[in-house]
Amino acid sequence: MDVTATEAPALTGAASGMPPTTDLTGQPGPADLTGLTGLSGLLLLADSRLPAGGHAHSGGAEEACRTGAISGPEDLARFLRGRLATAGRVAAALAWSACAAAHVPKFPDTEVPDIRAADSGDPTSTGPAGAADAADKWRLLDAEADARIASPAQRLASRTQGRLLVRTAKRIWPSRALEELARDVPDGAHHPIALGVAARAAGCTPAQAAMAAAYTSVTGAATAAVRLLGLDPVTVHRVLADLPYDSVIAEQHDWSALPAHAAPALDLLAEQHLRTEVRLFVS
Amino acid sequence: MTKALVRARAILRTGLDDRGRTRVETMRSDPPITLRQTAPGEVHLVSTGAGPLGGDRLRLDVEVAEGTSLTVRSIASTLVLPGTGRSLMEIHVYVASGGSLVFAPEPTVLAAACDHRMTTAITLEPDASLFWREEIVFGRHGERPGRCHSRFDATFAGRPLLRQEFVVGDPDADGSPAVFGTARCVGSTLITAASKEAEVAEGVAVLPLAGPGTLVSALAADAVELRNRLSWGESRVSV
């Protein structure tokens, strides 16, 4: 099934120049002979220069530096590995799911989180009621993100960044998917969901969306630590290069079963950070 | 190790007696999970066997009927031991509308070289109330823990309330200042009561969830400190 062909014809900017080469599963289609599908979108989205406010967030690194939990490159490496394995893994799964579901009128069969499961076996499954109202899907994925972010400070930071990203991405890659997301989650979608939909608008596959989410889950913290502690940027980039991004990315189908790896220390750092008087970063 | 692998499924169900009080309707023990009623509406888990050991598959089903209240505690902490393969402890919980469950067993202690999986799936109907405390201790004194992967899923009125996983024994997360830091224990208490704002103290946070509930989340050096921190957090939530 060809998704990009269902794009509203008026939106000439959307995925311009991008051949309709991805199907719903994110597998490159036959036109993708060079493996380039989605790569330009991925580069733009993962770039820290994307004007979407990401630079204002340290992902808990500022507070960890202040309390001494991070004091050098070794601590930072452990911080980033843990962040990637928890928050990064969850963000990647949400971004994958959002990208796969973006501007698809109905869920493909394999991705319907079926609410009927609640009556037949798995009581914790949730899903859109029968007809799968398109507006419900974003509220549903949004609720799944909410249930995985226990800290209100982190939920706020996630929504703030998501809202800014949607606002920016709507102008860069005008598309029905981003308009729908902005309409259906008016308080601001969680950042990984915004990232997944923006990635779809930019022509990326779900795997690329997940990679962008995994990558941005650690780069902001790394850059913040460089600035706060005066660390050698090359050493820190070596740390970033060594991180196992692939290990936190997996194909996702059932939204209720998405990874939910918690990071209690990040929760504590996020809440403490809000109560710290002198702050360089928003989170 | 030549111990036979254990398969056990214990079941606990409440109902109302003819005077409208909670009655423990079903209490099916299945060793090593043995259930003992210790007071009206209160049941203790008594472990009648070592472990779980690697390879064991244990399951507990708890169903709290409409308008009834149940408290589940345990006599002692659970020591997870290695064996042949992975051990599994799954808990399935249903709390009907107007039902109330307090689940506060002693901690799960991960012995060296264990390989443990814990899953908890909780379905809460509208107006159900829950107090659920979970504590994991990374090894006995001076011991490095084996591996443990826990997953907790709670839905309230058909919507996800809290989903969280902990992985202990993962080199990428162990000792990370982002995950457990220098702590030797992790614990959390989910309470279906709203708290107005988040609070934070040394090693513990009171976190109002997006849904109708509050999570008290704590890290500590030992089990006593963990319990103290959780208790402080729990006391900040008005039930």
Side-chain angles (χ1 to χ4, degrees), chain B residues 66-145:
Chain B
E66 201 169 331
T68 65
S69 301
L70 177 68
T71 297
V72 180
R73 300 186 189 280
S74 70
I75 299 293
S77 57
T78 301
L79 180 63
V80 182
L81 295 163
T84 45
R86 172 178 278 192
S87 52
L88 171 69
M89 175 77 214
E90 49 178 316
I91 306 179
H92 296 257
V93 177
Y94 175 83
V95 185
S97 188
S100 167
L101 173 64
V102 173
F103 191 93
E106 294 304 306
T108 297
V109 182
L110 307 174
C114 73
D115 183 8
H116 192 50
R117 170 90 205 186
M118 287 194 278
T119 62
T120 304
I122 302 179
T123 302
L124 302 168
E125 296 292 355
D127 297 323
S129 105
L130 178 76
F131 177 103
W132 188 279
R133 186 195 288 140
E134 199 168 84
E135 296 162 310
I136 304 174
V137 179
F138 306 165
R140 290 166 291 191
H141 185 72
E143 180 182 49
R144 286 183 61 84

Side-chain angles (χ1 to χ4, degrees), chain A residues 45-48 84 88 210-220 237 240 245:
Chain A
L45 278 167
D47 193 327
S48 64
L84 179 65
M211 179 57 85
Y215 175 78
T216 54
S217 78
V218 288
T219 46
H237 255 72
L240 285 173
Y245 303 97

Side-chain angles (χ1 to χ4, degrees), chain B residues 133-196:
Chain B
R133 186 195 288 140
E134 199 168 84
E135 296 162 310
I136 304 174
V137 179
F138 306 165
R140 290 166 291 191
H141 185 72
E143 180 182 49
R144 286 183 61 84
R147 205 181 147 78
C148 174
H149 180 180
S150 76
R151 174 150 183 141
F152 180 94
D153 286 278
T155 62
F156 188 95
R159 289 173 62 83
L161 176 62
L162 177 68
R163 302 194 194 276
Q164 64 174 12
E165 292 176 75
F166 290 123
V167 177
V168 182
D170 170 6
D172 280 337
D174 282 4
S176 170
V179 188
F180 303 128
T182 55
R184 303 282 302 152
C185 316
V186 61
S188 53
T189 308
L190 172 62
I191 306 171
T192 50
S195 48
K196 266 201 231 83

